[in-house]
Amino acid sequence: MRVVFIASDASLYGASLSLINMIKSYDFGDYLVLVLSKGPLLPVLDNMGIPYKVIPFKLNSAVYDKDWLSYILYPVRLCYYWMLNKYSYFRILRIINENKIDIIHTNNSRISVGYEIAKYKCIKHVWHLREFMDLDFNMRTFKPFRKLCADFNNSDSVICVSEAVKNHFYIENKNSVVLYDAVDSIQNVQNVHYKKENYFLYCGSLSEKKGVLDIISSFSKVSRNCDVRLYIAGTGTSRIVRKIRSLINREGIEEKVVLLGYRTDAKELMRKAIALLMCSWHEAYGRVTVEAMMNDCVVIGRNSGGTSELIEHEETGFLFDSNNELEALMEKVLDMDTTAIRDNAREKAIHSFTEEVYAEQLKKVYDNLLTRNLKTTQE
């Protein structure tokens, strides 16, 4: 079995990290990763001995903020998408032919070139849907949304990272499956209770849709009568950073909120935090939620999207629907012993989100794919 994975970017955020976990989980035999640009992902692939090629191509959607600039740039980006992908299409096609690829695994819903080549070559295609696109990233697709959903359904296999994602794209493909991303090996999950320090933690990209402004507003009220801090680990545009700093100054909590920037020690931060705050309005999955569950950190998460599928309220974490509820839960965990909830969360993570569990589920997807491929060949 020869597989080519097509990655949406070369960052070390969710989709790329999940791709690495997926490759580690399952023996794909001969495989190759195609990445659209250089970035932090490439040294990691080098260190792991994972073969890759950098092939520039454009994604099938663009940011559309419903303002005049987005309106003007959208057709320009559409033309650039078709022009660059026409060139990239043949470069990728040549790689498919030279390596005698059997399966193309597209690692993101924003990549269409893999599906188009698989359809042309009559080889199997797996489409891995990892985000909502419009709800979480303000993306407008270049193809009408319903037609893109039809492409997803016409793929040989569709993997959705949550039921919420499956429903959002109207996935009815009989070979579709909801497969929660692996985050780590069971061997790295330690049954240890860590000494907590007096801070709440946010980890992730900085944007309004991730709820970072809601977190700061709620924390401001909670911190008025107690000595507690808020650590924010992540990066964002200069515009959102200015809004964050402005809100912090307006609330008068400059001494209590620490902007950490991008961090490589997220696990250590989680282990010492009172709670992780997952406040995204539309989280497709929530890798950071699972990381917290594995690292002795209780999660306070918004009751929406994939977050509500990962957490059982007051059993493996806490869920909220409003900022008032968020404030109340922050105050609650400050005053309670969360050990039992953290233990429950760790057990759930071990049985649901480890590479070992993921490998078993992924094997079923690929075994089914290869069985259908064999039947087609025999016919």
Side-chain angles (χ1 to χ4, degrees):
M1 176 174 64
R2 297 180 177 88
V3 183
V4 67
F5 298 94
I6 305 183
S8 57
D9 63 72
S11 71
L12 281 179
Y13 284 108
S16 297
L17 294 173
S18 295
L19 173 63
I20 292 170
N21 287 124
M22 181 167 60
I23 292 174
K24 287 170 59 182
S25 300
Y26 183 72
D27 182 10
F28 287 98
D30 293 332
Y31 61 89
L32 176 69
V33 177
L34 301 184
V35 188
L36 64 75
S37 65
K38 295 181 179 180
L41 174 63
L42 303 190
V44 176
L45 297 180
D46 282 327
N47 291 335
M48 296 179 63
I50 296 175
Y52 66 86
K53 289 182 181 294
V54 177
I55 304 292
F57 59 86
K58 293 297 291 182
L59 304 176
N60 61 21
S61 54
V63 174
Y64 194 80
D65 291 324
K66 297 181 181 179
D67 56 15
W68 66 271
L69 184 59
S70 294
Y71 182 80
I72 293 173
L73 289 179
Y74 181 79
V76 176
R77 289 167 172 162
L78 173 60
C79 292
Y80 188 41
Y81 165 75
W82 287 114
M83 290 173 61
L84 179 59
N85 275 14
K86 186 174 183 180
Y87 171 69
S88 302
Y89 179 97
F90 290 104
R91 290 188 65 185
I92 296 173
L93 181 60
R94 184 166 61 249
I95 291 172
I96 300 298
N97 290 332
E98 290 174 351
N99 292 273
K100 298 179 180 178
I101 297 298
D102 302 304
I103 299 171
I104 297 175
H105 189 127
T106 297
N107 193 51
N108 194 291
S109 54
R110 296 186 62 204
I111 307 169
S112 291
V113 64
Y115 168 77
E116 293 163 0
I117 291 174
K119 188 176 179 180
Y120 171 75
K121 289 288 295 179
C122 296
I123 61 177
K124 298 299 181 183
H125 181 258
V126 180
W127 215 323
H128 214 132
L129 309 184
R130 298 186 177 279
E131 69 282 287
F132 296 117
M133 298 174 71
D134 52 345
L135 297 180
D136 42 8
F137 296 114
N138 280 1
M139 294 292 172
R140 178 182 175 186
T141 59
F142 294 133
K143 179 179 286 191
F145 183 77
R146 284 285 187 167
K147 288 189 176 181
L148 182 60
C149 293
D151 286 349
F152 294 155
N153 277 297
N154 287 330
S155 191
D156 295 286
S157 286
V158 185
I159 300 175
C160 303
V161 296
S162 65
E163 290 287 350
V165 167
K166 183 177 181 179
N167 294 333
H168 182 67
F169 290 118
Y170 307 99
I171 301 302
E172 299 174 347
N173 187 318
K174 65 179 181 179
N175 296 309
S176 64
V177 62
V178 172
L179 187 52
Y180 297 116
D181 282 337
V183 171
D184 209 339
S185 168
I186 192 172
Q187 299 175 6
N188 297 326
V189 182
Q190 301 176 17
N191 186 14
V192 178
H193 295 133
Y194 295 90
K195 184 178 180 180
K196 296 298 180 178
E197 297 182 6
N198 209 27
Y199 65 85
F200 290 103
L201 176 65
Y202 170 84
C203 281
S205 59
L206 306 182
S207 74
E208 292 188 47
K209 288 200 170 186
K210 288 289 186 179
V212 66
L213 299 181
D214 294 329
I215 290 173
I216 294 170
S217 295
S218 295
F219 172 79
S220 173
K221 297 179 177 65
V222 171
S223 65
R224 287 173 184 170
N225 300 316
C226 62
D227 182 22
V228 64
R229 287 190 165 195
L230 171 63
Y231 288 178
I232 298 177
T235 59
T237 64
S238 57
R239 176 176 173 272
I240 187 64
V241 172
R242 285 196 300 270
K243 293 187 75 170
I244 289 171
R245 292 189 183 279
S246 175
L247 179 58
I248 292 171
N249 292 336
R250 190 161 64 248
E251 295 290 339
I253 50 176
E254 298 93 333
E255 301 300 319
K256 294 187 175 184
V257 181
V258 183
L259 301 181
L260 300 174
Y262 179 77
R263 298 290 289 247
T264 58
D265 60 344
K267 292 181 181 180
E268 292 300 320
L269 290 170
M270 291 173 183
R271 290 166 180 166
K272 297 176 182 178
I274 297 168
L276 176 86
L277 307 177
M278 168 51 75
C279 300
S280 173
W281 285 91
H282 303 285
E283 192 70 17
Y285 172 59
R287 181 184 177 91
V288 69
T289 296
V290 177
E291 288 177 337
M293 293 168 73
M294 287 182 171
N295 287 281
D296 196 41
C297 183
V298 69
V299 179
I300 301 175
R302 193 181 298 276
N303 188 23
S304 65
T307 304
S308 61
E309 297 176 37
L310 303 180
I311 296 174
E312 294 89 18
H313 184 58
E314 296 187 337
E315 292 292 328
T316 59
F318 297 96
L319 295 171
F320 69 90
D321 290 297
S322 67
N323 282 3
N324 288 338
E325 290 181 12
L326 171 59
E327 294 161 23
L329 288 173
M330 291 170 74
E331 291 173 346
K332 181 175 183 176
V333 298
L334 280 170
D335 295 330
M336 72 176 290
D337 181 358
T338 60
T339 303
I341 291 177
R342 285 181 276 141
D343 286 345
N344 292 340
R346 184 190 300 109
E347 284 302 308
K348 177 173 181 177
I350 288 172
H351 291 99
S352 304
F353 311 122
T354 56
E355 292 173 356
E356 290 77 6
V357 173
Y358 191 83
E360 293 178 8
Q361 297 172 322
L362 191 63
K363 184 177 186 300
K364 294 177 183 178
V365 174
Y366 269 83
D367 283 352
N368 181 38
L369 196 65
L370 294 174
T371 298
R372 285 184 281 131
N373 194 30
L374 181 59
K375 288 181 178 179
T376 302
T377 302
Q378 290 174 343
E379 292 173 359

